[in-house]
Amino acid sequence: MKIDKQLVREIAKTARIELNDDEIAKFEKEMNNILEAFSKICAVKTDNVEMSIHPIKLGSALREDRKEKCLTQEEALSLTNNKKEGYFTGPRAV
Amino acid sequence: MKSLHEINGEYNCFNTIQEYKEKTEGALKGVKISVKDCICVKGMESTAGSAILKGYRPLFNATAVQKLLDEGAVIIGKTAQDAFGFGSFSINTGKGFKQPLNPIDKTRVTGGSSGGSACITKLADFSHIALAESTGGSIACPASYCGVIGLTPTYGRVSRYGLIDYANSLDKIGVMAKTVIECAKALEIIAGKDKKDQTTADAPVEKYTSFPGKGVKGIRIGIIKESIQDGVDKDVKEKFLKTAEFLKSKGAIVEEVTLPVTFKHALPVYYIIAMSEASTNLAKYCGMRYGRDEKIEGSFNEYFAKVRSKCFDDETKRRIMLGTFARMSGFRDAYYIKSAKIRTLIINEYKNLFKKYDVLISPSMPNTAPKTEEVKKLTPIQNYMMDILTVGPNLAGLPHISVPVGAGLPTGFMIIADHFDEGIMLQVAYEI
C-alpha cells in the first residue's frame, strides 16, 4: 500500500486537520515509512480468529433505563465563552 | 527541603501545582498525590498535556482521584506528559508545555508518557504516590528510566471514569511510588467495579498489601526469551539476569519461555489499534463547549479544522492521520480488523503460558534513559520501536510492574501476571 499526497489530503479532510504543502509532503513520507514497517501483519494467518475489541471478557454494559443525575445547564455552559441565552453557540451549519 | 515550585523550576515535572483535599482522616492521611494531567481533578486544570484542553477545569473528580481523596490524600498537582500519552519519552509535550527532565541526569529523558509522574516520584522527599496511566507502556517505561516502581493493573481493574482517553480498549490508570507496599496500598484503594465505567470488572479486589513478604519459594517464573535477545543493552541484560538468578536463589522456579507471535507482531498491532481508537476519541476536540476556543467564524468544518490544526502538536496530528487511515473504507480490513484478530492470538499466547507459570519476567525497557538530543534524531518509526517490551502486556491487558534494579543509570525489571493476579506480581516484586 502506497500513500500519495492526494490520499494524505483526503485523510486530513476526514480528520478535520489543515495541512500546508510542506506538512503534506512530510506526512506522505512518514506515513509510508510507518505503514511499510506495519505491513508485515498482513502475512499472519487469522482465518477463523475472532477479533478482540477488549483484552478481558466484559459483562453487560446495559443499565436500567431511568433518569440519573447529570450536569446542570449552568454547569455545562460554565466551561466556554461561546454561549448565548442558556445555549452553546457554534459555527454555522449550512 | 525544596518546594514543589523549586523542583518544578528545575525539572518541569508539573503542568499545574495546586493543592486540593476533601478529608483530613483516612488510610492515606498525610500522603501527597500527584495526578497525571490526563486524569481529571475537580477545579484543577486538566489538559492531558495538550493545548486544545488549555483552560479546561473539570466539574468532577475521576473515580480513582475521588477514592484517594476519600482516604484523606492531598492532591498536589497535575504532572507533565506527552500530549494525550502519545510518546515514549515525554518529549512530545503539547504546544506551550515543557519537557520534564530526568531526575538523575537532566540531559536525559524521563521516559513517557507518564514522565512527570516518574520524575516527581523519584525526587519527592515526602510521602508521595503518583496516579499515572498506561496505554502501551506509559508507566513501566518512565518508571524504568527514572528508577521508581511503576504498577499497571489489569485492564478494567481501575475505573477509567474521568480519564481523558487515548485508546479506550488499552488505557489503564495505575500508580508509581518508591516502594512496592505503597503501590499495593494505593491499588487496593483505587481498584474495583464502578458503575460510571462499564468496562470495569466484577472480579473481587484482593488485599494487595497482604502479598508482599510471602517470599517466592515455589513460584513459577518464566523468562521471556525474546526480551533479552537482539537490541537489548548489555548492561540492562546483565542486571536483569542477575536479578532473575537472585529470585531463583530464593526458591523460585525460573525457566525460559517464548512468545513468538507477540514479539513479531505486537508492535504494529498495538500502534494500529491505539491510533485507530485515538483518532475517534480525539474527534470530540473541536473548540466548543470546553477547553480551548476561538472566535467562531466560518462553517463547522472550517472552524473545527482551524482550532484542531492550531492546537494539536505534530505527533497528535500524525496519530490521528494514521488512525483515520487505518479505519477508512478500503483499508479497515487490512489494518484495524487484522490487528484486532492478531490481538486475540497475542492474548492466547500469554494465557497459555499462565497455565504453567505464575508470572513472566523481562526487562522493562531495552535501554537506560537516552539523552534528549539522541531521541530527537529518531524517526517516528524508530520512536515506536522502543516500546517492544511493553506493548505485549498492554495489548493483552495484563498487570505488570517495573522495579528498579542495579546501580548506575536505572533499569527496570518487569513482572507480568495473569489477569487480576496483581497479588502474586506484588509478592515477587517485593523480594527484589
Side-chain angles (χ1 to χ4, degrees):
Chain A
M1 175 65 213
K2 186 88 178 152
I3 290 185
D4 59 18
K5 288 188 175 63
Q6 185 48 41
L7 184 53
V8 173
R9 283 192 193 93
E10 198 183 318
I11 297 165
K13 191 180 171 196
T14 306
R16 310 294 189 270
I17 288 174
E18 290 171 350
L19 299 177
N20 60 33
D21 288 347
D22 288 346
E23 288 173 313
I24 288 169
K26 186 176 75 126
F27 276 121
E28 181 193 14
K29 188 180 167 199
E30 287 175 353
M31 289 173 76
N32 277 310
N33 285 342
I34 293 165
L35 289 174
E36 190 188 335
F38 286 2
S39 63
K40 64 180 181 182
I41 65 165
C42 300
V44 182
K45 285 201 180 352
T46 52
D47 303 340
N48 304 318
V49 177
E50 295 287 318
M51 294 198 298
S52 283
I53 301 300
H54 291 97
I56 58 165
K57 295 265 182 292
L58 297 169
S60 170
L62 301 177
R63 65 166 175 82
E64 199 183 329
D65 188 13
R66 58 181 160 75
K67 192 177 165 186
E68 291 196 345
K69 195 177 169 231
C70 64
L71 295 180
T72 64
Q73 191 172 0
E74 289 72 27
E75 284 172 332
L77 287 164
S78 69
L79 298 171
T80 182
N81 296 313
N82 293 326
K83 58 192 166 189
K84 192 177 174 184
E85 295 167 6
Y87 293 95
F88 290 111
T89 53
R92 62 183 165 78
V94 286
Chain B
M1 193 169 105
K2 284 183 181 174
S3 72
L4 283 185
H5 286 283
E6 283 169 329
I7 292 172
N8 205 37
E10 216 174 316
Y11 294 94
N12 310 325
C13 38
F14 285 97
N15 287 344
T16 300
I17 295 175
Q18 190 180 330
E19 206 168 283
Y20 178 68
K21 64 179 176 184
E22 293 186 353
K23 290 185 178 168
T24 51
E25 296 298 325
L28 294 176
K29 181 183 176 181
V31 178
K32 296 187 173 174
I33 307 282
S34 63
V35 180
K36 190 174 177 179
D37 208 11
C38 59
I39 303 170
C40 289
V41 179
K42 190 175 179 179
M44 203 177 285
E45 189 177 58
S46 300
T47 69
S50 173
I52 205 150
L53 281 167
K54 201 75 192 136
Y56 172 53
R57 288 183 172 73
L59 298 163
F60 58 92
N61 286 319
T63 296
V65 169
Q66 190 62 55
K67 286 183 166 187
L68 295 170
L69 286 167
D70 289 345
E71 290 295 340
V74 181
I75 308 293
I76 55 170
K78 307 300 300 296
T79 48
Q81 61 168 100
D82 292 294
F84 294 108
F86 298 159
S88 310
F89 304 106
S90 291
I91 64 164
N92 296 334
T93 48
K95 291 177 178 176
F97 292 88
K98 289 180 180 170
Q99 178 201 334
L101 306 177
N102 190 294
I104 291 128
D105 175 351
K106 280 186 266 186
T107 67
R108 295 177 188 272
V109 298
T110 54
S113 65
S114 309
S117 310
C119 180
I120 187 60
T121 302
K122 183 71 178 175
L123 294 171
D125 55 4
F126 46 85
S127 182
H128 166 265
I129 292 168
L131 199 59
E133 181 274 340
S134 173
T135 305
S138 289
I139 291 178
C141 165
S144 176
Y145 284 173
C146 295
V148 300
I149 294 166
L151 184 156
T152 306
T154 308
Y155 177 84
R157 178 71 297 179
V158 175
S159 170
R160 292 184 293 110
Y161 177 74
L163 171 68
I164 299 169
D165 40 17
Y166 164 177
N168 307 49
S169 82
L170 292 154
D171 294 343
K172 299 157 294 283
I173 289 179
V175 291
M176 289 187 193
K178 281 201 171 92
T179 68
V180 172
I181 296 283
E182 287 169 306
C183 285
K185 190 173 179 182
L187 180 64
E188 219 167 81
I189 291 166
I190 63 174
K193 181 81 181 165
D194 180 12
K195 66 174 185 177
K196 293 175 182 165
D197 173 7
Q198 77 261 26
T199 60
T200 46
D202 284 321
V205 176
E206 293 182 283
K207 191 163 172 52
Y208 299 119
T209 46
S210 71
F211 286 86
K214 286 184 173 176
V216 290
K217 194 166 187 298
I219 300 278
R220 299 160 302 169
I221 298 176
I223 294 183
I224 303 170
K225 188 178 80 174
E226 292 87 349
S227 74
I228 45 172
Q229 289 179 335
D230 298 344
V232 177
D233 285 2
K234 190 167 162 267
D235 179 48
V236 172
K237 186 176 171 179
E238 278 175 10
K239 287 173 180 169
F240 169 76
L241 289 174
K242 201 175 162 188
T243 308
E245 203 52 45
F246 171 74
L247 290 171
K248 200 172 172 183
S249 74
K250 303 265 271 182
I253 301 153
V254 183
E255 293 171 350
E256 205 168 73
V257 299
T258 180
L259 287 166
V261 177
T262 301
F263 273 79
K264 199 167 176 190
H265 301 295
L267 203 74
V269 165
Y270 164 75
Y271 272 99
I272 290 166
I273 291 173
M275 288 172 177
S276 298
E277 293 185 20
S279 67
T280 62
N281 280 330
L282 270 62
K284 61 179 169 275
Y285 301 119
C286 59
M288 288 177 65
R289 302 190 302 278
Y290 58 93
R292 181 76 174 265
D293 54 23
E294 296 278 327
K295 186 180 175 215
I296 288 177
E297 50 191 12
S299 70
F300 265 90
N301 288 334
E302 286 162 352
Y303 177 74
F304 294 166
K306 183 177 77 174
V307 176
R308 289 161 63 81
S309 308
K310 196 171 167 181
C311 296
F312 286 149
D313 58 291
D314 274 0
E315 185 60 26
T316 300
K317 289 178 187 171
R318 188 176 293 114
R319 295 200 188 199
I320 291 174
M321 294 282 290
L322 281 158
T324 303
F325 166 78
R327 292 184 298 107
M328 278 170 88
S329 175
F331 308 112
R332 190 185 301 130
D333 284 358
Y335 291 98
Y336 178 72
I337 304 284
K338 187 81 175 176
S339 296
K341 288 182 175 179
I342 300 173
R343 187 180 194 181
T344 303
L345 300 178
I346 290 168
I347 293 168
N348 291 345
E349 196 166 64
Y350 277 105
K351 289 300 247 185
N352 278 334
L353 286 181
F354 285 121
K355 286 177 188 163
K356 190 174 174 194
Y357 297 94
D358 297 305
V359 294
L360 305 177
I361 55 171
S362 78
S364 306
M365 292 298 286
N367 57 354
T368 52
K371 288 185 178 286
T372 299
E373 288 313 309
E374 292 167 1
V375 174
K376 284 184 175 169
K377 289 179 195 155
L378 299 177
T379 63
I381 191 69
Q382 286 171 327
N383 258 283
Y384 303 160
M385 299 292 278
M386 296 304 295
D387 299 338
I388 184 72
L389 301 179
T390 57
V391 288
N394 278 281
L395 258 182
L398 298 165
H400 51 286
I401 189 167
S402 179
V403 182
V405 288
L409 274 177
T411 68
F413 184 96
M414 186 159 69
I415 303 157
I416 307 163
D418 200 356
H419 293 139
F420 306 106
D421 256 354
E422 280 84 354
I424 201 154
M425 178 180 90
L426 289 158
Q427 187 176 329
V428 177
Y430 182 78
E431 295 302 314
I432 295 169

